[in-house]
Amino acid sequence: MDIGVHTPPLYDRSFEDALSVLSEMGVDAVEPGVGGYPGDDHLPRSEYLDDADAQAELQDALDEHDMRISALATHNNPLHPDDEQAEAADTELREAIELAGQLDVNTVTCFSGLPAGGPDDDVPNWITAPWPSEHADAHEYQWEEVAIPYWSEIAEFADEHGVDVAIEMHPNMLVYEPHGMLELREATGQRIGANFDPSHLYWQGIEITDAIRLLGEHDAIHHFHAKDTKVYEEQAREKGVLDTTAYTEEADRSWLFRSIGYGHGESHWKDIVSTLRMVGYEGALSIEHEDSLTSSLEGLEKAVDMLDRAVFDTQPGDAYWA
């Protein structure tokens, strides 16, 4: 497996400077943003799409630092009930897929998006319970009339370009846990899979290695975000984990995104790496730094250090003892 980095924490540097810093850390792959919430500071789509010369220069920069692109990232809401916002997100996603195909990058990471609760609503609606019954009706509308038709079309588009679409299971999006991920994949095809980010699953109480096995049984893990979370029981015991407190009010939150190793220990991350290998995942572990208790550079350095001890550098040999 490669140790990778999702590059927005280094947007204060040029892309080439970021590659240089990451190469010195021992990073093998990068996941630059090309639109949506990650932005496109390091890889503006308009500068590279359909431009063979610019793409060649990009490849030269990657080669110089012995680096590859694990995925292009464009996290947004293409299912938004506001047509203008949905169209912008859809354009970002489609152009990201086109660019990935041209760069021989086989994955685009994104969100599932979140529709309104009905055709006349204008605000996305995250449904988390089937009662009162209008919530169940809204959930059915979101899936059957909005999400499945849209993602079926995107799956066909991605297949035309030889690209997998890796959806991050994220609360406040329609797909936020593994069973929903498999439901969408079953309805739309194998080009749709997971960008497996454990950080959003920890605070939901999901066992990470069990979720990896579940999705791995269906070959549904297209990419992996290495990102940790710490649940602070002192707060969670009082208000649970559905916490609207600002991320920067750290002492008052039930949970925080943390650098690798500061939410769960080294043995846990070694179990994650081992389970990923068991299910056949050999792609990047793309570090996403969103720890407000440390700087981006230090958080990345500590994450790389721990993952370097966890990943396997070689393929297993014959089980001579079996």
Side-chain angles (χ1 to χ4, degrees):
M1 296 176 196
D2 291 334
I3 296 176
V5 166
H6 184 34
T7 67
L10 299 177
Y11 276 174
D12 60 336
R13 306 165 186 262
S14 70
F15 190 41
E16 289 208 23
D17 285 348
L19 291 177
S20 179
V21 168
L22 295 174
S23 179
E24 290 177 5
M25 285 186 195
V27 171
D28 308 301
V30 288
E31 179 195 355
V34 295
Y37 290 106
D40 64 355
D41 291 30
H42 281 164
L43 201 66
R45 295 187 321 278
S46 61
E47 294 181 14
Y48 291 92
L49 188 62
D50 299 323
D51 190 330
D53 291 338
Q55 293 172 16
E57 291 178 6
L58 172 62
Q59 189 59 56
D60 288 343
L62 292 166
D63 291 343
E64 180 181 350
H65 298 286
D66 196 23
M67 200 81 68
R68 72 178 183 90
I69 295 177
S70 66
L72 302 181
T74 175
H75 299 77
N76 211 331
N77 186 1
L79 307 184
H80 200 287
D82 180 88
D83 289 342
E84 185 174 340
Q85 293 188 55
E87 288 171 7
D90 177 65
T91 297
E92 290 169 349
L93 179 57
R94 290 176 186 270
E95 290 184 355
I97 291 169
E98 288 182 276
L99 181 57
Q102 293 173 10
L103 295 175
D104 291 325
V105 174
N106 63 5
T107 307
V108 167
T109 57
C110 60
F111 291 145
S112 67
L114 183 66
D120 299 322
D121 297 347
D122 57 9
V123 176
N125 193 339
W126 187 37
I127 306 296
T128 59
W131 186 89
S133 59
E134 58 261 40
H135 292 267
D137 294 339
H139 199 237
E140 182 178 0
Y141 162 80
Q142 290 177 320
W143 276 92
E144 299 299 327
E145 297 190 37
V146 183
I148 290 176
Y150 177 80
W151 286 107
S152 295
E153 186 177 331
I154 291 295
E156 293 180 8
F157 184 79
D159 192 55
E160 292 171 3
H161 294 276
V163 173
D164 288 333
V165 176
I167 291 174
E168 185 173 335
M169 297 171 284
H170 197 295
N172 285 315
M173 294 291 163
L174 186 64
V175 172
Y176 60 92
E177 46 76 31
H179 285 263
M181 182 73 258
L182 290 177
E183 182 178 351
L184 186 64
R185 180 176 170 84
E186 182 177 354
T188 60
Q190 295 187 351
R191 285 295 181 185
I192 305 299
N195 177 29
F196 194 109
D197 187 329
S199 68
H200 309 291
L201 306 185
Y202 287 124
W203 64 263
Q204 294 184 68
I206 295 171
E207 181 60 45
I208 302 305
T209 52
D210 290 353
I212 290 171
R213 287 176 180 270
L214 174 65
L215 293 177
E217 289 174 2
H218 298 270
D219 296 321
I221 301 176
H222 290 334
H223 196 255
F224 188 93
H225 267 181
K227 184 178 173 188
D228 213 338
T229 292
K230 172 72 174 178
V231 175
Y232 293 93
E233 297 294 344
E234 299 88 343
Q235 297 294 336
R237 282 194 295 267
E238 294 179 357
K239 60 178 178 178
V241 293
L242 296 176
D243 195 346
T244 58
T245 306
Y247 285 114
T248 52
E249 296 177 21
E250 292 91 351
D252 295 325
R253 281 191 55 80
S254 298
W255 56 269
L256 287 173
F257 297 130
R258 297 306 317 274
S259 302
I260 299 295
Y262 284 80
H264 298 79
E266 186 167 327
S267 62
H268 172 79
W269 281 94
K270 287 179 175 178
D271 284 343
I272 287 177
V273 168
S274 298
T275 308
L276 286 169
R277 171 159 280 196
M278 286 179 192
V279 301
Y281 180 80
E282 291 292 346
L285 307 178
S286 187
I287 299 164
E288 184 180 21
H289 173 84
E290 292 184 350
D291 186 341
S292 60
L293 298 181
T294 185
S295 68
S296 295
L297 200 59
E298 184 176 12
L300 291 174
E301 288 172 342
K302 291 182 183 300
V304 170
D305 180 61
M306 174 170 284
L307 289 180
D308 190 51
R309 294 193 298 274
V311 298
F312 299 105
D313 296 322
T314 61
Q315 292 295 323
D318 294 334
Y320 58 84
W321 57 91

